[in-house]
Amino acid sequence: MTETVHTPVLPEGHPVWIYFQEKELIESLLQEITSVNPLIDLPKYTNIFNQLFTIEKRFARKENQLFPFLEKKGWVGPSQGMWSFHDNLREQFRLIQYYLKMNNPERVGTNTTFLVDGIYRLMEVEENVLFPNALDILTESDWIEMRKGEEEIGWMLSQTPPSFPKVEYVHPSEDFTIREMPFSLENTSHFDEGYMTVEQVNLLFRTMPLDLTYVDENDRVIFYNRGEERVFPRSAGIIGREVKFCHPPKSVGTVLKILDEFRKGAQSESSFWINYKDRLIYIRYFAVRDANKNYKGVIEMSQDITDIKKIEGEKRLLDWE
């Protein structure tokens, strides 16, 4: 059995903090497995054994994450000595697995004693030598980098440990972090915020559940999106056409008045809603201006809001099933 040692106070999610969380689980499993007689209840023993066998994830994290960082600092002892300790325990696990497969509970019980004692001795060395020295040798940036690599290996714990360092929620409007781009910027254009290729921009406009039309400062249509379910049909022939020829005669006067007020700066938005083919359509016009407030045209946005208008209360659960 291990002696009671002082557990260092560490932030949640720190790699060593996780090792101590696993230690509690391991000790619980060791107590359970020693209290079960495989001669009497082999299925229960097997269930506990399989849970204990997940200690392999702990071994793998030490060997592939912790030990390499210590080697870089010049401490190679754990890589040489403790790795062998791991392999001895792995061999003990394999031996018990063999006797379980051969349905030999007597041999299972005999070898369990060696396995349990070996794990207790290993945890004692971890607590008294490995972890204290590692905490003295490694920097916080080392631990942060190490934790990133642990994600791929995993833990014995049933739930993913808290992130390290702790990630505080930052509202998007207050997030000014300059990040290294995790994607290629080749063939992209830089917009106010972010980068997109022409293909991505097209996909964005195709996917949006809106009809968008852009009329420039010369009152000519220069763009419309090809959504799969447009409210109002459009064809490529309208590109370059004067906007007054793109609306029914009865509404042209209204459109021209909107453009005139937008151009003068007297107004910047106008909204309408109509019944069209038994659907409620919301039509909005927005003035487009550059950073110097110069008029650059107008965006027409049309949206079928029939179903949106029916929404009541709240929906917080996914209902795909």
Side-chain angles (χ1 to χ4, degrees), residues 19 47 64 128 153 206 220 226 246 248:
Y19 282 119
N47 180 53
N64 295 285
N128 292 322
I153 299 172
R206 280 179 176 270
R220 293 189 178 273
R226 285 186 175 274
C246 299

Side-chain angles (χ1 to χ4, degrees), residues 63-304:
E63 294 166 355
N64 295 285
Q65 292 298 120
L66 179 56
F67 293 174
F69 274 90
L70 295 175
E71 289 169 12
K72 292 177 184 178
K73 303 291 184 177
W75 190 25
V76 299
S79 301
Q80 297 173 349
M82 191 167 283
W83 200 313
S84 297
F85 210 151
H86 292 171
D87 286 342
N88 291 336
L89 289 172
R90 287 178 174 122
E91 186 58 36
Q92 197 63 54
F93 272 111
R94 282 193 288 268
L95 192 59
I96 294 176
Q97 285 178 319
Y98 171 76
Y99 288 128
L100 286 172
K101 183 178 180 180
M102 299 303 295
N103 196 27
N104 191 333
E106 184 175 354
R107 289 282 188 176
V108 167
T110 300
N111 284 278
T112 296
T113 301
F114 299 122
L115 176 65
V116 170
D117 290 345
I119 294 176
Y120 273 125
R121 287 198 303 274
L122 175 63
M123 291 196 298
E124 185 175 3
V125 175
E126 289 175 345
E127 291 188 47
N128 292 322
V129 181
L130 179 64
F131 296 150
N133 282 285
L135 289 169
D136 287 339
I137 294 172
L138 301 179
T139 65
E140 182 171 1
S141 61
D142 290 330
W143 293 114
I144 292 173
E145 188 65 26
M146 187 188 307
R147 174 60 199 276
K148 292 178 182 177
E150 291 184 345
E151 303 282 342
E152 186 174 348
I153 299 172
W155 304 272
M156 295 180 69
L157 307 175
S158 59
Q159 294 184 336
T160 300
S163 58
F164 176 78
K166 184 177 181 181
V167 178
E168 299 288 350
Y169 172 74
V170 178
H171 191 277
S173 64
E174 300 176 349
D175 186 0
F176 302 105
T177 304
I178 304 300
R179 295 179 172 85
E180 181 179 346
M181 294 298 102
F183 47 82
S184 173
L185 299 183
E186 186 178 359
N187 298 322
T188 65
S189 296
H190 182 214
F191 298 90
D192 278 351
E193 298 298 339
Y195 301 80
M196 296 178 72
T197 65
V198 172
E199 179 187 17
Q200 289 171 331
V201 173
N202 268 321
L203 290 173
L204 172 65
F205 283 124
R206 280 179 176 270
T207 306
M208 292 174 65
L210 305 168
D211 288 7
L212 294 175
T213 304
Y214 188 179
V215 177
D216 70 7
E217 64 270 32
N218 299 312
D219 297 345
R220 293 189 178 273
V221 178
I222 60 172
F223 169 85
Y224 72 91
N225 66 326
R226 285 186 175 274
E228 293 187 4
E229 297 183 5
R230 287 191 59 90
V231 176
F232 300 117
R234 291 282 188 270
S235 66
I238 70 167
I239 301 301
R241 191 179 186 187
E242 285 190 67
V243 68
K244 65 182 179 181
F245 297 121
C246 299
H247 289 267
K250 64 180 180 181
S251 62
V252 169
T254 300
V255 171
L256 294 180
K257 181 177 181 180
I258 291 172
L259 295 177
D260 185 52
E261 293 297 305
F262 282 3
R263 182 176 284 104
K264 291 189 299 185
Q267 301 289 337
S268 292
E269 188 269 336
S270 183
S271 301
F272 306 88
W273 44 98
I274 63 173
N275 288 298
Y276 179 73
K277 295 182 179 180
D278 297 322
R279 307 294 291 180
L280 182 61
I281 310 302
Y282 191 29
I283 306 169
R284 307 178 74 185
Y285 295 88
F286 298 93
V288 179
R289 308 186 198 281
D290 64 16
N292 296 317
K293 305 300 182 182
N294 296 313
Y295 177 72
K296 291 296 181 179
V298 58
I299 293 291
E300 178 187 9
M301 183 180 79
S302 302
Q303 182 178 16
D304 183 341

Side-chain angles (χ1 to χ4, degrees), residues 18-84:
I18 297 174
Y19 282 119
F20 278 104
Q21 298 301 305
E22 288 182 332
K23 170 183 172 286
E24 294 181 8
L25 173 61
I26 293 168
E27 289 182 335
S28 173
L29 291 171
L30 292 176
Q31 291 173 10
E32 288 186 58
I33 205 166
T34 53
S35 67
V36 177
N37 187 341
L39 290 167
I40 298 174
D41 196 343
L42 191 59
K44 182 176 181 180
Y45 174 94
T46 303
N47 180 53
I48 301 169
F49 174 83
N50 289 336
Q51 294 180 62
L52 184 60
F53 188 55
T54 61
I55 199 173
E56 172 60 34
K57 294 181 179 180
R58 182 183 179 93
F59 295 168
R61 291 204 319 279
K62 289 161 65 180
E63 294 166 355
N64 295 285
Q65 292 298 120
L66 179 56
F67 293 174
F69 274 90
L70 295 175
E71 289 169 12
K72 292 177 184 178
K73 303 291 184 177
W75 190 25
V76 299
S79 301
Q80 297 173 349
M82 191 167 283
W83 200 313
S84 297

